[in-house]
Amino acid sequence: MPLPLVYHEDYSPALPPGHRFPMEKFRLLRDHLVNSGLTTEEALLRPDLCPRELLTLAHDAGYVDRYCTGDMTREELRRLGLPWSPELARRTVRAVGGSLLAADQALEHGLACHLAGGTHHAHRDHASGFCIFNDLAIIALSLLEQGRVGRVLIFDCDVHQGDGTARLLEEVPDAVTVSLHCEKNFPVRKARSDWDIGLPPGMGDQAYLQVVDDTLGYLLPIYQPDLVIYDAGVDVHRDDALGLLQLTDEGLAARDCRVIEHCLGRDIPVVGVIGGGYDKDRAALARRHGILHHSAQRMWTQFGLGH
């Protein structure tokens, strides 16, 4: 069988012209992966909407209902950075369902990737930094509650600290949060992950990859998680509009392969979500995000999965 990839047509609702969030990148990523021959429209797995009871594992029920019905204050919308619409609300809930489906596929087959996800700035009762519901925390809490895993490790390589994930899971001992981020970047006030690795601005491929190897080589044997949730943010790229690191395309590919190889080499399933990435050239950004899926395909083949 092919590498499981999860996508839905709901993922790129229209935003006002000129809005700085690259909402079309999800559709363009799908187009890129199909056009490059990695997958087909028919092979992509389509998720259901995430049930409300799973959203409220991580989020305040009143906040969930206010967002889903559009009863948000002006201040709440300002903090989010996105205008409310029924289409965006549906997309938001659908994308959490996509991350859950990808996690299911990873547990079944060893590896799976979402063409969205990684909304790590969402907090219990408020949105932040374009993030509304925290799919990383919801995956961890739902799988732990169902008894399908004993321990989850979230390996967050977005250039920004996963502050929402850290706060949502700080009292959950079997959900281990690891954040590799540029220290001098959003959010200004950092949360406390289980493991925070703050990186200096300007770090390039070689030094970054050494940190990835050292971190996973140390932490995976200690925690021995039953699933790794990998946030493969591409805002660490040297051309990203909001990042301050200097990774190249080759560096991103090496990072993604190494993360997956560290996990699969220890028989730990891994699910990849795309995280952040910002570039006015949306097609270039989509190709950058697609490095995760192409890297995952290489590892899928290398480890002989799907047979």
Side-chain angles (χ1 to χ4, degrees):
M1 64 168 288
L3 168 70
L5 298 174
V6 176
Y7 174 77
H8 199 281
E9 285 69 22
D10 282 352
Y11 283 2
S12 290
L15 290 180
H19 196 282
R20 64 188 181 126
F21 185 78
M23 190 65 79
E24 65 269 41
K25 73 179 185 179
F26 308 102
R27 172 178 50 80
L28 294 172
L29 172 58
R30 183 273 318 270
D31 293 348
H32 165 63
L33 296 181
V34 170
N35 292 338
S36 64
L38 184 68
T39 189
T40 63
E41 284 284 357
E42 298 72 32
L44 291 168
L45 303 173
R46 264 69 177 190
D48 295 325
L49 296 167
C50 178
R52 180 180 180 276
E53 61 266 23
L54 296 188
L55 295 173
T56 56
L57 289 176
H59 296 286
D60 174 77
Y63 166 60
V64 170
D65 292 340
R66 284 200 314 282
Y67 183 76
C68 289
T69 60
D71 189 25
M72 299 278 281
T73 66
R74 183 178 299 176
E75 174 57 26
E76 285 179 309
L77 291 174
R78 185 197 65 77
R79 195 171 197 173
L80 166 59
L82 293 167
W84 190 89
S85 70
E87 294 78 17
L88 181 60
R90 186 172 65 246
R91 177 251 183 263
T92 300
V93 178
R94 179 87 67 188
V96 178
S99 289
L100 289 164
L101 176 56
D104 288 342
Q105 291 290 311
L107 287 174
E108 183 175 352
H109 303 293
L111 176 62
C113 290
H114 194 189
L115 275 67
T119 44
H120 62 171
H121 297 310
H123 293 260
R124 180 167 300 282
D125 60 359
H126 66 272
S128 177
F130 306 131
C131 299
I132 300 157
F133 299 136
N134 193 308
D135 61 320
L136 306 171
I138 292 166
I139 292 172
L141 292 168
S142 64
L143 292 178
L144 288 167
E145 184 180 78
Q146 294 164 28
R148 296 176 60 198
V149 297
R151 182 174 292 139
V152 175
L153 186 143
I154 296 172
F155 193 61
D156 189 340
C157 288
D158 194 282
V159 82
H160 306 108
Q161 192 211 31
D163 58 331
T165 314
R167 291 198 172 101
L168 286 169
L169 299 176
E170 62 184 339
E171 302 297 330
V172 184
D174 291 320
V176 181
T177 53
V178 184
S179 182
L180 269 69
H181 54 268
C182 182
E183 189 65 36
K184 305 262 191 272
N185 210 321
F186 180 86
V188 175
R189 290 193 325 206
K190 305 290 192 284
R192 188 170 68 186
S193 310
D194 292 306
W195 296 86
D196 281 304
I197 298 130
L199 307 174
M203 179 178 272
D205 290 349
Q206 188 171 353
Y208 185 97
L209 293 170
Q210 188 64 56
V211 173
V212 169
D213 282 335
D214 290 348
T215 303
L216 290 174
Y218 180 69
L219 294 180
L220 291 180
I222 292 176
Y223 290 108
Q224 299 180 11
D226 299 305
L227 176 70
V228 167
I229 306 170
Y230 171 41
D231 186 336
V234 299
D235 40 15
V236 296
H237 194 275
R238 64 185 180 188
D239 294 332
D240 192 84
L242 299 182
L244 297 171
L245 302 184
Q246 292 293 313
L247 270 70
T248 64
D249 287 2
E250 294 75 21
L252 285 178
R255 178 196 68 174
D256 296 342
C257 286
R258 289 187 191 194
V259 171
I260 296 168
E261 192 167 20
H262 273 284
C263 297
L264 296 184
R266 293 174 173 84
D267 294 320
I268 301 168
V270 57
V271 54
V273 298
I274 71 170
Y278 304 90
D279 195 310
K280 288 183 178 177
D281 185 339
R282 305 298 202 227
L285 177 59
R287 292 192 297 272
R288 205 171 294 154
H289 277 301
I291 291 171
L292 166 66
H293 308 84
H294 281 279
S295 299
Q297 178 62 53
R298 285 197 288 278
M299 293 298 102
W300 178 265
T301 302
Q302 179 175 314
F303 281 87
L305 302 177
H307 295 306

